[in-house]
Amino acid sequence: MNFKLIFRTLGLLLIVEGIAMFLALIVALIYNGTDVIALCQSALICMGTGGILFFVFRNTGKEMGKREGFVIVSLVWVLFSFFGSLPFILSHTIPDLTNAFFETMSGFTTTGSSILNDIESLPNGILFWRSMTQWLGGMGIIVLSLAILPIFGIGGMQLFSAEVPGPVADKLSPRIQATAKKLWVIYFIFTVAEMLLLWIGGMSFFDAINHSFTTMATGGYSTKQASIAYWSSPFIQYVIIFFMVVAGTNFTVSYLMLTGKFRKAIQNEELKYYLFFISVFTLIIFGGLLISNELGFEQSFRDALFQVVSILTTTGYATADYLHWTPFLTIVLFAVFFFGGSAGSTGGGLKIMRIVLLLKNSYYELHRLIHPKAIIPVRFNQKPVSDQIITNVLAFFMFYFVIFFSSSVLLMLVVPDLPSAMGAVATSLGNIGPGLGIFGPAENFSALHPAGKWFLSFLMLLGRLELFTVLVLFSPAFWKR
Amino acid sequence: MNFKLIFRTLGLLLIVEGIAMFLALIVALIYNGTDVIALCQSALICMGTGGILFFVFRNTGKEMGKREGFVIVSLVWVLFSFFGSLPFILSHTIPDLTNAFFETMSGFTTTGSSILNDIESLPNGILFWRSMTQWLGGMGIIVLSLAILPIFGIGGMQLFSAEVPGPVADKLSPRIQATAKKLWVIYFIFTVAEMLLLWIGGMSFFDAINHSFTTMATGGYSTKQASIAYWSSPFIQYVIIFFMVVAGTNFTVSYLMLTGKFRKAIQNEELKYYLFFISVFTLIIFGGLLISNELGFEQSFRDALFQVVSILTTTGYATADYLHWTPFLTIVLFAVFFFGGSAGSTGGGLKIMRIVLLLKNSYYELHRLIHPKAIIPVRFNQKPVSDQIITNVLAFFMFYFVIFFSSSVLLMLVVPDLPSAMGAVATSLGNIGPGLGIFGPAENFSALHPAGKWFLSFLMLLGRLELFTVLVLFSPAFWKR
């Protein structure tokens, strides 16, 4: 293991984080808030530490290997969360390390679970930093760094594949930096577009920036304690719905659409299933709300669509408290916790593509029972999917559910009831935000035992890096040689 | 599809069920109960219907195929449960068809969930029939019929493999009838041994027969409303624990033990993991009970061991109400709902072998991440396991959890809370017995909505036939040609 190279790379990335903090500092200066000094200190600590690491470990020797890639990517998310919690701690907005780390990890992993009981009391610079952790984490720390820094050389591929491990339909461009840049340009364009629309719709400019950051990242942090329910305007809610759907779509598909290649874009199989799942769940809940509530046709539809899209894309905004629906509708929505965005989107969770591959493979397994000799490969986008990918997807599901169940059991040590524990684990692992029971959309995680907060932070990281990148570090074989 | 052959075979099997009812009739005659006429009528209806089917469909033509095997096995369990509910209905002990069918399906599938609120009020013949459904179902209707009837010829193999679809470690004897006989002889010996020990321990002879029937079947029906908690004698409880463990062990291993081949028996890898899982869960719960209760050392240990063995082997007897433990301990025990007995035992659930193969394969998947070129086959009992079996096991898990989750969601339509719904689905699918919440070990399923009862009955069948045999009937490809 080339530790020198690892430290040098981490140093470089910390400098990037420091630069990002300076942007928040500018916001703080504009509003002349109480958070100017804290943000300034944090940015300097970040860049100082990063600079020291970068210059001390110079003679790093040979190229970056697969194993270094896994270590760097796992560590950088932890490190970013530690340093990223400095603004909260130093400004005394979240004085406690456990809470500040939870909030920052929840930010970078675009989970959106919060421990804040009075969001509106925070100064604007801090709020901006909080939203920005999500925006940076949404497209990926490594992907960002690859896009802006030409320094990684061939090692970038190792880092990229460790951070974006999902089953990606289209082969990645071998020119990894060009891909990273393209992704960030699309991401940026969508963010600006949403910001303008929200501003036109009546949000303040500051709120519009923050919400476009956290929508496009499928993050879900809001500048208001009441989340999107604060704005009753249907226009604002539909705009956010639209951009949540966009954020959960494969960015390659969005790129095709933006460049006018509509026909090719809508042929994407994952897109079809993604929209299909959204429609089915929306219809069920819409029907249920019509029967059980007296909200009227339009609001029932909007509430159903908003909550389904928000959970399925793993954003986690709320316009309605789904815990006040009938138990059946609440649980239908809880099922949506186990879907997630498309591969190559900022959405987390199990991911639509994996679910479709899984369902197809299970269906074919029945065929194999009747015709044991026949070889029936699973097809996706008209192409046969290799056995290796299928095995990987199946192993992913196994780990996901084993971790989901055993973590829910463990969390019962500090949480009084099963739905709350299961909801907290599902929302952390899926990078969603709100949970069930005592962690519903109208509540937050402030009352959770500190051990539970660290544990959920770990699950967020596991989920964001799609399990394997982190799990492999716990395998003895990884460290042998 | 050769329907004539299907009807003829079903007819033959119904005659077998009628004969079994005559045994219950003998018990009713001995006790001179109110159930004599009902049992007599039921047996005659069974044998009459069977006889008509058997003689009407004579020229069945060609041999039995794979597809006929799936249809017959799925149908025979439904048919047995319909006809098997006649004694309950005709004796007015369970006058309602929904309840009677639920109770009988729960019996044959060795689930043990009950709708009875006053078991002690039932006449002995009916109680005996209720326990016997479990004893017959435990080793399998087809396996029983193969053992006593020489009539099936080569078709027996198709039926056998549809009823015992699990990943069986040791190749089945090609002389399928000899295997079936051997299994039933071992089963019979253990049943008699347990009966004698329970009788010596202070149970009445009648109770001893009934409980040895339902222990060896990992069924869990008791002749007492309080289940095994009725007998406070530690001796009786330890005897039952021992035989539950035996019933959940692969019968091939038991055969080796009975014939003195201890060394070969204890080399069985599944046995080691089976005992390992029992020990780990018992220790956790034992420790938890010591801390949280004041039961004392021996009873804490006995309660923990009894409940873990009862759930893990999917028997479902109760000596303690685990819903009165701390939430954490309750949920640890709920995790045990997802284990199950060994392959080739009467235990249901996911089965130890599948879980071990799954864990091994997931662990190797991490290896494959680091060394993508290396071919590392999963090994079991020192032999490499074929890719086909691994894929099958993974598909089984997928179906199991997809069915578990979607059924829990559906059941929320008639059940007020998530733990109750999840517990009911898990206990039905795993053929265990008691659930969580309103369906705990001190409660029963009588209050459940009829639609829920039919649904759970279906899940019991799915679980007992290990999903595929039933699911394949719903695949369009199955019916094509």
Side-chain angles (χ1 to χ4, degrees):
Chain A
M1 189 68 64
N2 187 343
F3 284 104
K4 278 189 183 172
L5 180 65
I6 293 173
F7 286 128
R8 184 175 167 89
T9 314
L10 290 176
L12 185 66
L13 292 166
L14 272 184
I15 297 174
V16 174
E17 184 172 20
I19 296 169
M21 279 181 191
F22 270 115
L23 296 178
L25 177 60
I26 294 171
V27 175
L29 286 168
I30 292 170
Y31 288 94
N32 197 18
T34 54
D35 48 351
V36 169
I37 294 170
L39 278 164
C40 191
Q41 288 171 327
S42 308
L44 291 176
I45 293 173
C46 238
M47 295 180 72
T49 314
I52 291 170
L53 283 174
F54 186 69
F55 286 106
V56 165
F57 298 98
R58 248 171 313 183
N59 300 313
T60 56
K62 64 176 164 48
E63 288 293 348
M64 192 179 296
K66 237 184 158 57
R67 302 190 311 150
E68 282 80 10
F70 286 121
V71 174
I72 290 173
V73 169
S74 297
L75 276 186
V76 76
W77 286 78
V78 178
L79 222 58
F80 261 50
S81 300
F82 267 112
F83 283 85
S85 61
L86 285 176
F88 299 115
I89 296 171
L90 297 176
S91 67
H92 300 288
T93 45
I94 310 179
D96 170 50
L97 174 67
T98 300
N99 283 335
F101 183 81
F102 180 91
E103 193 81 9
T104 317
M105 182 59 98
S106 172
F108 278 119
T109 57
T110 73
T111 305
S113 304
S114 180
I115 53 86
L116 291 170
N117 286 307
D118 185 11
I119 294 175
E120 279 90 340
S121 71
L122 266 60
N124 281 356
I126 293 293
L127 282 179
F128 187 81
W129 171 243
R130 183 166 169 267
S131 303
M132 201 158 69
T133 57
Q134 297 209 316
W135 197 62
L136 296 175
M139 192 47 88
I141 294 169
I142 298 295
V143 178
L144 165 66
S145 311
L146 283 171
I148 59 170
L149 295 170
I151 205 158
F152 285 113
I154 202 160
M157 187 65 210
Q158 307 295 356
L159 294 176
F160 192 96
S161 64
E163 190 176 76
V164 190
V168 182
D170 300 88
K171 274 267 178 292
L172 283 166
S173 156
R175 293 171 59 225
I176 202 77
Q177 206 186 344
T179 307
K181 261 190 190 145
K182 204 164 76 181
L183 288 173
W184 267 89
V185 168
I186 306 169
Y187 193 43
F188 189 81
I189 291 172
F190 280 130
T191 307
V192 171
E194 183 185 353
M195 187 197 72
L196 293 174
L197 284 169
L198 291 178
W199 194 27
I200 292 167
M203 264 195 195
S204 77
F205 189 69
F206 180 74
D207 287 337
I209 294 183
N210 280 278
H211 283 92
S212 57
F213 273 12
T214 59
T215 308
M216 283 313 299
T218 66
Y221 273 160
S222 174
T223 50
K224 305 292 174 192
Q225 194 72 37
S227 188
I228 305 302
Y230 180 89
W231 291 273
S232 51
S233 146
F235 177 80
I236 284 181
Q237 295 191 2
Y238 281 115
V239 166
I240 289 177
I241 289 170
F242 174 77
F243 282 97
M244 287 195 290
V245 172
V246 168
T249 306
N250 191 329
F251 274 62
T252 313
V253 173
S254 301
Y255 181 76
L256 289 172
M257 293 235 184
L258 286 179
T259 52
K261 289 169 190 149
F262 270 94
R263 264 186 80 157
K264 207 177 162 198
I266 58 167
Q267 276 171 359
N268 184 285
E269 202 175 340
E270 191 178 20
L271 179 68
K272 288 179 198 162
Y273 279 104
Y274 172 56
L275 299 176
F276 171 75
F277 288 134
I278 291 177
S279 312
V280 168
F281 282 106
T282 302
L283 280 178
I284 296 173
I285 291 176
F286 172 43
L289 288 179
L290 269 186
I291 296 166
S292 61
N293 281 349
E294 303 198 343
L295 297 169
F297 197 83
E298 194 275 335
Q299 201 190 333
S300 295
F301 173 74
R302 181 155 39 90
D303 278 2
L305 180 64
F306 192 100
Q307 256 55 239
V308 166
V309 168
S310 172
I311 297 293
L312 194 133
T313 62
T314 73
T315 309
Y317 286 143
T319 56
D321 186 348
Y322 50 75
L323 293 183
H324 290 152
W325 295 349
T326 65
F328 174 69
L329 294 180
T330 304
I331 296 306
V332 167
L333 194 68
F334 186 56
V336 183
F337 275 61
F338 298 92
F339 281 75
S342 311
S345 76
T346 63
L350 288 159
K351 298 247 157 85
I352 301 298
M353 189 174 176
R354 285 208 186 85
I355 287 164
V356 173
L357 286 179
L358 179 87
L359 292 177
K360 284 192 176 184
N361 185 61
S362 303
Y363 180 71
Y364 287 134
E365 194 62 28
L366 289 181
H367 277 248
R368 289 182 201 121
L369 263 185
I370 316 166
H371 309 291
K373 298 273 162 60
I375 292 166
I376 319 169
V378 175
R379 301 181 78 83
F380 198 79
N381 279 333
Q382 277 92 50
K383 277 171 246 156
V385 180
S386 79
D387 279 357
Q388 258 179 315
I389 290 183
I390 296 290
T391 323
N392 182 277
V393 167
L394 290 171
F396 182 85
F397 271 89
M398 286 305 97
F399 274 113
Y400 203 90
F401 282 104
V402 168
I403 292 169
F404 169 65
F405 275 103
S406 48
S407 301
S408 300
V409 171
L410 265 180
L411 203 63
M412 289 292 289
L413 283 169
V414 293
V415 165
D417 65 298
L418 186 61
S420 297
M422 285 175 47
V425 170
T427 209
S428 301
L429 211 48
N431 299 137
I432 299 167
L436 295 179
I438 59 172
F439 305 122
E443 308 296 327
N444 62 54
F445 289 79
S446 58
L448 180 61
H449 188 280
K453 285 175 185 158
W454 288 103
F455 184 59
L456 291 187
S457 303
F458 174 69
L459 292 182
M460 292 174 196
L461 180 68
L462 261 184
R464 177 60 181 83
L465 295 180
E466 309 203 348
L467 310 186
F468 291 128
T469 300
V470 179
L471 287 180
V472 79
L473 303 187
F474 293 93
S475 146
F478 182 79
W479 298 100
K480 249 182 253 167
R481 186 177 322 202
Chain B
M1 190 67 62
N2 188 343
F3 285 104
K4 278 189 182 171
L5 180 64
I6 292 174
F7 286 129
R8 183 174 166 87
T9 314
L10 290 176
L12 184 66
L13 291 166
L14 273 184
I15 296 173
V16 174
E17 185 173 20
I19 295 168
M21 280 182 191
F22 269 115
L23 295 179
L25 177 60
I26 292 170
V27 174
L29 286 169
I30 291 170
Y31 289 94
N32 196 17
T34 53
D35 47 350
V36 170
I37 293 169
L39 278 164
C40 191
Q41 287 171 329
S42 308
L44 290 175
I45 293 174
C46 237
M47 296 181 72
T49 315
I52 291 170
L53 282 174
F54 187 70
F55 286 106
V56 166
F57 297 99
R58 246 170 315 183
N59 301 312
T60 57
K62 64 176 163 49
E63 288 294 347
M64 191 177 297
K66 235 182 159 57
R67 304 190 311 148
E68 282 80 7
F70 287 120
V71 174
I72 289 173
V73 169
S74 297
L75 275 186
V76 76
W77 286 78
V78 178
L79 221 58
F80 260 50
S81 300
F82 267 111
F83 281 86
S85 61
L86 285 176
F88 298 115
I89 296 171
L90 297 178
S91 66
H92 300 288
T93 45
I94 310 179
D96 170 51
L97 173 67
T98 300
N99 283 335
F101 183 81
F102 180 91
E103 192 81 8
T104 316
M105 182 59 98
S106 173
F108 279 119
T109 58
T110 73
T111 305
S113 303
S114 178
I115 53 85
L116 290 171
N117 287 307
D118 185 11
I119 294 175
E120 279 90 339
S121 71
L122 267 61
N124 281 356
I126 293 293
L127 281 180
F128 187 81
W129 171 243
R130 183 168 169 266
S131 304
M132 201 157 70
T133 57
Q134 296 208 319
W135 197 63
L136 297 174
M139 192 48 87
I141 294 169
I142 299 294
V143 178
L144 165 67
S145 311
L146 282 171
I148 59 172
L149 295 170
I151 205 158
F152 286 113
I154 202 159
M157 187 65 209
Q158 307 295 357
L159 294 176
F160 191 96
S161 63
E163 189 176 75
V164 189
V168 181
D170 300 87
K171 275 265 178 294
L172 283 165
S173 157
R175 293 171 60 224
I176 202 78
Q177 208 185 343
T179 307
K181 261 190 191 143
K182 204 164 76 180
L183 288 173
W184 267 89
V185 168
I186 306 170
Y187 193 45
F188 190 81
I189 291 172
F190 281 129
T191 308
V192 172
E194 183 185 354
M195 187 199 72
L196 293 175
L197 283 169
L198 291 179
W199 194 27
I200 293 167
M203 264 196 195
S204 77
F205 190 69
F206 180 74
D207 288 337
I209 293 183
N210 280 277
H211 284 90
S212 57
F213 273 12
T214 59
T215 309
M216 282 312 299
T218 67
Y221 272 160
S222 175
T223 50
K224 305 293 172 192
Q225 194 72 36
S227 187
I228 305 301
Y230 180 89
W231 292 273
S232 52
S233 146
F235 178 80
I236 285 182
Q237 296 190 3
Y238 281 114
V239 165
I240 289 178
I241 289 171
F242 175 77
F243 282 98
M244 288 195 288
V245 173
V246 168
T249 306
N250 191 328
F251 274 62
T252 313
V253 173
S254 301
Y255 181 75
L256 288 173
M257 294 235 186
L258 286 179
T259 52
K261 289 171 192 148
F262 270 93
R263 265 186 77 157
K264 207 176 162 198
I266 57 166
Q267 276 171 359
N268 184 285
E269 202 175 339
E270 190 177 20
L271 179 68
K272 288 177 199 163
Y273 279 103
Y274 172 57
L275 299 177
F276 171 75
F277 289 134
I278 291 178
S279 312
V280 168
F281 282 106
T282 302
L283 280 178
I284 296 172
I285 291 175
F286 171 42
L289 288 179
L290 269 186
I291 296 166
S292 61
N293 280 349
E294 304 197 343
L295 297 169
F297 198 84
E298 194 275 333
Q299 201 189 332
S300 295
F301 173 74
R302 181 156 38 91
D303 277 4
L305 180 65
F306 193 100
Q307 257 55 239
V308 167
V309 168
S310 171
I311 297 294
L312 195 134
T313 60
T314 74
T315 309
Y317 285 143
T319 56
D321 186 348
Y322 51 73
L323 293 183
H324 289 152
W325 295 348
T326 64
F328 174 69
L329 293 180
T330 304
I331 296 307
V332 167
L333 194 68
F334 187 54
V336 183
F337 275 61
F338 298 92
F339 281 75
S342 311
S345 76
T346 63
L350 288 158
K351 298 248 158 87
I352 301 298
M353 188 173 177
R354 285 206 187 88
I355 288 165
V356 173
L357 286 179
L358 179 84
L359 292 177
K360 285 192 176 186
N361 185 62
S362 304
Y363 181 71
Y364 287 132
E365 193 63 27
L366 289 182
H367 277 249
R368 289 181 202 121
L369 264 185
I370 316 168
H371 309 292
K373 299 271 161 60
I375 292 165
I376 319 169
V378 174
R379 302 181 78 85
F380 199 79
N381 279 333
Q382 277 92 47
K383 278 172 242 152
V385 179
S386 79
D387 279 358
Q388 258 180 316
I389 290 182
I390 296 289
T391 323
N392 181 277
V393 167
L394 289 170
F396 182 85
F397 271 89
M398 288 304 98
F399 274 113
Y400 203 90
F401 282 105
V402 168
I403 292 170
F404 168 65
F405 275 102
S406 48
S407 301
S408 298
V409 171
L410 265 180
L411 203 64
M412 289 292 288
L413 283 169
V414 292
V415 166
D417 65 298
L418 186 61
S420 298
M422 285 175 48
V425 170
T427 209
S428 301
L429 210 48
N431 300 137
I432 300 168
L436 295 179
I438 59 174
F439 304 122
E443 308 297 326
N444 61 54
F445 288 80
S446 59
L448 180 62
H449 188 280
K453 286 174 184 157
W454 289 103
F455 184 59
L456 291 187
S457 302
F458 174 69
L459 292 182
M460 292 174 197
L461 180 67
L462 261 185
R464 177 61 182 81
L465 296 180
E466 309 204 347
L467 311 186
F468 291 129
T469 300
V470 179
L471 287 179
V472 80
L473 304 186
F474 293 93
S475 148
F478 182 81
W479 298 101
K480 250 181 251 166
R481 186 179 322 203

